[in-house]
Amino acid sequence: MSGKTREAFYITAGELAGSGPGGMPEEMVSEKGLIYSSPATLSYNSPGAQGFGVKRAGLVIPESVMLLVAPACCGRNTTILGDMGGYSHRTFFIEMDENDLVTGRHLTDIPAVIREILKVCRSRGQDPKVVVICITCVDALLGTDLERVCRKAEETTGVRVVPTYMYALTREGKNPPMVAVRESIYGLLERLPVKSRMVNLLGFFSSMDKDSELYDVLGQMGITDVRQVSDCETLDEFLQMGAANFNILLHPEGRKAAAGLQERLGMPFVEMSRVYETDRIGKQYRGLARALGAEVDLEKWEVQASEETEKLKEACRGKSIAIGQVVDGSPAEMALALTRLGIRVSSVFANPAAEDFPYIKELGELDPDVRFYAALDPSMVNYRGEEKADLTIGRDAVYYFPDTPNIPWDSEAQPFGYTGFISFSREIRRALAGEWKKETNVIWDEELQGKDIPPSSYDPYLDPEEKLPKGMRLFMSPFTPDQSGASSVLYEYGGLQIIMDAGGCVGNVCGYDEPRWLGRQSDVFSAGLRDLDAILGRDQLLIEKTGKALKKTDARFVALTGTPVPSVIATDYRALKKLMERDFGIPVVPVETNGLELYDKGQEKAYMQLIKTFTVDPDELEEDGSAVRHRLGVLGATPLDIPALDSPEALEVAFREKGLLPDGGECVVFGRGDSLEDLRRAGTLDRIAVVSPSGLKPARYLEDRFGIPITVGYPIEERRAQELCRKLEAIPKGTRVLIIHQQFFANSMREIVRGALGEGASVDVATWFMARKEFMEKDDHVIREECDLTKTVFGGRYDVVLGDPVYKRAIPGWNGRYLELPHYVASGELAGIKTEDDFWRRAGVEI
């Protein structure tokens, strides 16, 4: 077995085949260690992940909508997931708070929220037949009987209500989330009179490629009616699948659902695998034909596949291929298929499942040196592209080989059979011929906004008499939570950051809330909590996992970032800190976030813990002999707070313009390119600039402890301010303006707007986030609920609103002028903000 300390762990195909399914190395077993946050593990470990997690899978049911009942952190990624898949107008929320964890009040609000959902949908021209309720790990620990809740809601509202469970805690249990959601979907079917020529395809959530020969092959067997849920446009059409003669199972995670249909409805199933070895494809078809007493002629497709095989072998001559985990198929089988053609596969970045071992056994005989890297293992933080690859397969493989030609091979139209192999081969040949491009993130544009969210003629928030459930969101998904805010502060300090979760929360932190993540690796790991860990409070297991990870990384401290699960089970962070510091001899920084508060609260907690842990009195510092310079410290300037996502340099320029940083002075932006040594020497700063409210409490702590003066406010460069003023000159002088952002940035924008419109202009600030009373004006607003935004905009009779594009969703029917002022914590990557220039361009300010 290979792999050393400070190197990425791998095991060769030969070694893996020899160990067998029962001898899997612990680096490939998720419950044995912390889980490394690569794109593959985020998709693997998080039931709310990109692609088809539980949330999107539940919405496969035709004419359905989803109500996610969860802490804010569990719904955060739905803004991005929804707009990429066209589901935003079908997803609604009840945000839980701490009171809900104790009382379960949120469950009694479900029928009322469903009634409001139906009103909004019907005003848009939708008529939902099914409401899918999705709950999370919190309700798993609280023992919520969701089936009973659904029955009660169904009786009250008159619409079908279906339970789904986004329980990352049960990822390796007997009924994992992606297995359970398939049971929920197909549990709607009832047995209808059997149609002998009808068959259902089970397992995939999106449709099989229409060019697949499977349809023709089934036709040769007398099967002319092939159904799959993703093709159904209405609920009635989906329910007709209850008349199928039998089911064909195409994905192992659908096995339990297929067995349930067989037991409950007497609907048998046969299983077929998606493979890329053409002889196996033929064997599967002929085996199915024998079972049905039919014959099939495969010659046409076999000839096409054989011709394509020769072209692929020629294109790959002398080339080496690396395969990721996020692919349409089994990475192990894919590696075997290529190896059998004489094509060199250097490495596979995936954690094999039990069903992969027959392929691994053959691969180990053909090429025992193929490396299987443990995509889950913390040692992957050390991977630096050790072996050569001329092509990578899988969207996640770009993470390891960013400049190598890549085919994502992760599409909506599911490839299968001979045509699947042929398409796969052609994509490889095109990429090797130079016809490939790096994947770019989807950005928010006008076409997407208008297309995804149908206009609503109903807004319950405008009815002053209506008492609405707390935490209800009908138009927007939740914002970045406190755990992600804490991570944004800790991100660049070189600590081993453990998100105390089951996998879903870290998926939000890295996959949606940290714009630096893909471009700059960081030691962010999931604790990989499972149900028994949470129930039994197995802290010693977490300590053991942390010890293993520390042996594989160069972390200078350990950070423990909280989520709803440790909040529910009352994890003792102080005890963990004491035990870990004793065992490991390095500082431990506990940040007791709970996933129920917003990002800035987590930032504030992280700043405080870092400063209390590392900052020392000036007389304890040794002199380094360098010239004394004016040092300005900046707090509250993470990528989540401010427009300058790409770098803090723009802040330095603005501070010099304001006279706060003299020539030759040093600007230290905490959490943005500084170091632990900068934190250690924070007591020697000449001044502290606080650019968002999350930095105020730690700044005042430093002021009280070291006597460092504070300046509050976000500095906007003069050139930006002047251009914005020119843009606002067309606005009439008597206009009422509302600015929505984090408070200190919004206050700075207010001064610019007043400068353009005159001192008598009515310009108010609103914020969803921290609002310090001493920096509020008389008519400023604090927004807590979605209804607060609607009532603020309409009640204040504002003519112009500056705010994130997402906020516009919650004010249907408002006819004022909306100017975009993106905030990453609201719309994330959808706003298309990567640099400060991007931000100002979205705001209409061209420089």
Side-chain angles (χ1 to χ4, degrees), residues 21 329-333 350-362 372:
S330 160
E333 190 279 331
N351 277 60
E355 56 264 22
D356 292 323
F357 270 85
Y359 308 131
I360 292 170
K361 184 177 180 181
E362 288 189 47
F372 277 77

Side-chain angles (χ1 to χ4, degrees), residues 172-361:
E172 278 79 35
K174 293 182 179 179
N175 202 31
M178 297 310 293
V179 170
V181 72
R182 288 172 168 88
E183 284 191 285
S184 294
I185 292 168
Y186 295 109
L188 288 170
L189 297 180
E190 297 293 340
R191 199 49 160 146
L192 299 176
V194 176
K195 297 181 179 180
S196 61
R197 294 180 181 273
M198 179 191 290
V199 66
N200 297 326
L201 305 181
L202 305 185
F204 299 147
F205 293 112
S206 58
S207 298
M208 183 178 290
D209 185 355
K210 298 304 181 187
D211 293 330
S212 173
E213 77 285 345
L214 175 63
Y215 301 102
D216 290 334
V217 171
L218 291 175
Q220 291 184 39
M221 301 179 195
I223 298 168
T224 56
D225 191 355
V226 181
R227 302 287 182 105
Q228 47 192 329
V229 61
S230 49
D231 283 344
C232 299
E233 296 185 359
T234 67
L235 181 63
D236 287 341
E237 188 179 346
F238 168 56
L239 296 178
Q240 289 300 310
M241 290 174 66
N245 190 7
F246 66 97
N247 296 318
I248 298 177
L249 176 64
L250 301 173
H251 195 292
E253 286 184 333
R255 198 171 290 142
K256 192 172 181 183
L261 289 173
Q262 180 170 283
E263 179 180 350
R264 186 169 60 88
L265 305 183
M267 188 183 293
F269 73 96
V270 295
E271 193 163 349
M272 298 178 69
S273 299
R274 174 164 48 195
V275 293
Y276 293 91
E277 299 159 90
T278 54
D279 57 341
R280 288 183 194 265
I281 294 170
K283 286 177 182 177
Q284 286 195 125
Y285 284 143
R286 292 186 174 94
L288 178 61
R290 283 194 301 272
L292 297 178
E295 292 185 0
V296 290
D297 180 4
L298 305 176
E299 182 180 2
K300 178 176 67 174
W301 297 293
E302 288 176 332
V303 169
Q304 291 176 6
S306 177
E307 292 174 351
E308 183 60 39
T309 295
E310 295 306 312
K311 295 176 184 178
L312 178 63
K313 290 163 66 175
E314 179 61 31
C316 294
R317 194 180 305 278
K319 306 292 185 183
S320 179
I321 294 176
I323 302 173
Q325 179 149 345
V326 185
V327 293
D328 288 330
S330 160
E333 190 279 331
M334 197 174 285
L336 174 61
L338 293 171
T339 301
R340 288 183 65 189
L341 297 179
I343 298 169
R344 169 65 177 154
V345 176
S346 62
S347 49
V348 178
F349 296 82
N351 277 60
E355 56 264 22
D356 292 323
F357 270 85
Y359 308 131
I360 292 170
K361 184 177 180 181

Side-chain angles (χ1 to χ4, degrees), residues 500-564:
M500 303 278 284
D501 76 324
C505 293
V506 79
N508 284 341
V509 171
C510 294
Y512 299 92
D513 285 335
E514 182 45 73
R516 294 167 288 186
W517 174 62
L518 271 178
R520 189 182 311 165
Q521 289 187 353
S522 180
D523 297 357
V524 182
F525 303 95
S526 168
L529 300 176
R530 293 299 177 250
D531 47 3
L532 286 179
D533 300 336
I535 293 167
L536 301 177
R538 298 194 291 201
D539 291 344
Q540 186 56 43
L541 179 59
L542 176 65
I543 294 171
E544 292 172 4
K545 290 180 178 181
T546 304
K548 292 176 185 177
L550 286 171
K551 293 177 181 178
K552 301 172 182 179
T553 66
D554 294 313
R556 300 177 64 185
F557 65 95
V558 173
L560 304 174
T561 305
T563 70

Side-chain angles (χ1 to χ4, degrees), residues 707-735:
I708 306 169
I710 294 174
T711 297
V712 173
Y714 185 91
I716 297 176
E717 288 181 79
E718 190 61 33
R719 63 188 181 119
R720 308 285 190 191
Q722 290 176 359
E723 183 61 28
L724 185 58
C725 283
R726 283 193 290 271
K727 178 180 176 62
L728 297 171
E729 285 175 357
I731 297 177
K733 299 301 180 185
T735 298

